[in-house]
Amino acid sequence: MSELNKDYIRSILCRNSVPDGSWAPGIDGWLRAVGVDGNQISVDLRAPYPLGDRTSELTAGIRKALEADPLVASATVDLGWRVFAHEVQSELKPLEEIRNVIAVGSGKGGVGKSSTAVNLALALQADGARVGVLDADIYGPSIPRMLGVQGRPDTQDKRIVPMQAYGLQVMSIGFLIEEDTPMIWRGPMVTSALQQLLGETNWHNLDYLIIDLPPGTGDIQLTLAQKVPVAGAVIVTTPQDIALLDARKALQMFRKVDIPVLGVVENMSTYVCPNCGHEEAIFGSGGGAAMSADFDIPLLGRLPLSLAIRESLDRGSPTVESDPDSVLAQEFRAFARNTAYELSKRPRNLDLNLPQIKIQNT
């Protein structure tokens, strides 16, 4: 029997790095099929998260790693990716047309949760995923302003057609009221509105729906846990001790209602002076890492406090969209890739099958 079998090829992938292999986790698990003809091989690989513009470089790197093995003369690599639906809490099933719902919460306001959610969505889309954003902050909707979207959504067959922003499908109570109109509603009305915005919107073929939660651990969060099939949650905090206290409460809340926490992202980690380049941790340091260690969850990223982030959101053109080649945008994209990877490790939900395979033959 030839040594060039599936297990041997997997071992090559496992022990070798590839270009951009600084971010290609789980690559040994991508292998679907191997063809062997003497010392020539062909491999079929599929990543469980979006690869975006890294596909060509990864393909070349994988081929190089395989052909470096003494038993392999040449290798043909077919590399694609597919986002699967993952298990959700309780007996709930994934929503039709939405493979995965990711909730972004913080436990308190003022930590940049909405800006993080918006740039997370755009970063996932930049890697090729189909993404939607639901603004669940009924009292203080900010997503329309951050994405620069105005006007009322259309309806089709008594359902809401989501607004479009930079290719994202977007829904918010902010589209249905004037910007300066206060929502003087009690809890039951708020939770009913959330369910309508989610369930009566014509979402179409989404890999990820990012839900931007309001601060706290109240009615909307409870409704989310009981009624909405959530594949995972991301906790946003700053390094500040007070913010960490509330972030820990948010994490414990998600765990109590059986929503898996994918990790924590530390926002406003450091401030870099745009004039002199001096970097300082004005809100403290190490808070996100400490929370990650204390609760045994991944630290998904450390995002800086930046004037450019604030200015871009005020213009309705978030950093990942307005300055995609910047260091800031790359940090958001690394955070998004870590989030997608952590979700890909979760058990799959076999009740929903919406195929979307992207293949690049080289």
Side-chain angles (χ1 to χ4, degrees):
M1 180 181 293
S2 171
E3 291 183 61
L4 287 175
N5 54 37
K6 195 169 185 179
D7 289 338
Y8 187 83
I9 299 302
R10 182 175 285 109
S11 72
I12 298 175
L13 296 174
C14 192
R15 68 176 181 261
N16 283 279
S17 61
V18 297
D20 198 31
S22 57
W23 204 90
I27 192 171
D28 56 303
W30 298 2
L31 189 60
R32 301 178 66 207
V34 173
V36 179
D37 182 8
N39 58 1
Q40 298 179 331
I41 65 171
S42 60
V43 296
D44 179 16
L45 299 157
R46 183 166 66 188
Y49 48 77
L51 296 178
D53 56 9
R54 294 164 295 148
T55 302
S56 296
E57 187 175 4
L58 283 168
T59 299
I62 292 167
R63 185 192 305 110
K64 182 178 179 181
L66 292 171
E67 292 178 347
D69 188 270
L71 296 183
V72 179
S74 64
T76 301
V77 177
D78 287 346
L79 174 60
W81 62 266
R82 177 182 176 184
V83 176
F84 295 90
H86 293 275
E87 283 188 359
V88 297
Q89 75 277 31
S90 186
E91 300 299 320
L92 300 176
K93 295 182 179 180
L95 297 167
E96 188 176 352
E97 297 289 337
I98 302 172
R99 291 179 182 81
N100 300 286
V101 173
I102 299 176
V104 179
S106 63
K108 74 181 275 65
V111 298
K113 173 183 51 58
S114 295
S115 62
T116 300
V118 164
N119 280 293
L120 168 62
L122 287 167
L124 289 170
Q125 181 180 255
D127 271 345
R130 293 179 60 90
V131 187
V133 178
L134 174 62
D135 187 351
D137 193 345
I138 304 298
Y139 292 119
S142 55
I143 297 299
R145 171 65 69 92
M146 289 183 173
L147 287 172
V149 187
Q150 297 178 340
R152 298 290 179 93
D154 294 329
T155 59
Q156 183 178 21
D157 298 327
K158 297 183 179 180
R159 294 177 61 83
I160 305 170
V161 178
M163 302 291 277
Q164 298 287 322
Y166 306 113
L168 300 175
Q169 299 175 38
V170 186
M171 193 60 222
S172 169
I173 194 72
F175 296 134
L176 306 176
I177 61 172
E178 297 300 324
E179 192 174 47
D180 57 355
T181 299
M183 301 302 294
I184 310 174
W185 286 358
R186 294 190 183 274
M189 295 179 67
V190 171
T191 56
S192 175
L194 172 62
Q195 292 180 69
Q196 286 184 287
L197 290 177
L198 177 63
E200 297 181 14
T201 296
N202 276 340
W203 308 107
H204 178 61
N205 192 24
L206 295 181
D207 294 311
Y208 307 103
L209 175 66
I210 307 301
I211 298 186
D212 178 33
L213 291 175
T217 55
D219 287 333
I220 286 184
Q221 288 80 1
L222 185 59
T223 297
L224 188 85
Q226 294 176 334
K227 305 291 186 181
V228 180
V230 181
V234 173
I235 306 295
V236 182
T237 187
T238 65
Q240 191 177 10
D241 288 344
I242 294 175
L244 284 164
L245 286 173
D246 290 320
R248 289 167 183 260
K249 292 175 184 176
L251 184 146
Q252 294 287 28
M253 175 202 69
F254 284 124
R255 286 186 169 177
K256 285 181 182 294
V257 296
D258 296 325
I259 293 177
V261 176
L262 303 177
V264 59
V265 56
E266 184 182 276
N267 197 25
M268 308 182 196
S269 290
T270 59
Y271 173 72
V272 180
C273 176
N275 296 318
C276 67
H278 175 69
E279 184 174 3
E280 188 167 356
I282 60 178
F283 291 117
S285 62
M291 184 174 172
S292 169
D294 289 345
F295 290 95
D296 192 26
I297 59 172
L299 179 62
L300 300 173
R302 296 176 67 248
L303 306 173
L305 175 65
S306 168
L307 179 63
I309 294 175
R310 193 272 299 167
E311 290 178 336
S312 66
L313 291 169
D314 284 349
R315 293 195 306 268
S317 180
T319 303
V320 172
E321 171 64 28
S322 62
D323 196 5
D325 297 324
S326 67
V327 173
L328 289 174
Q330 295 310 309
E331 289 176 341
F332 277 115
R333 293 190 69 176
F335 154 55
R337 290 166 182 171
N338 287 335
T339 301
Y341 169 61
E342 292 300 327
L343 179 59
S344 76
K345 291 158 58 177
R346 298 280 308 155
R348 293 176 185 171
N349 193 314
L350 303 180
D351 291 331
L352 184 66
N353 184 25
L354 297 174
Q356 180 175 331
I357 303 173
K358 294 181 173 58
I359 299 294
Q360 177 167 320
N361 296 321
T362 58

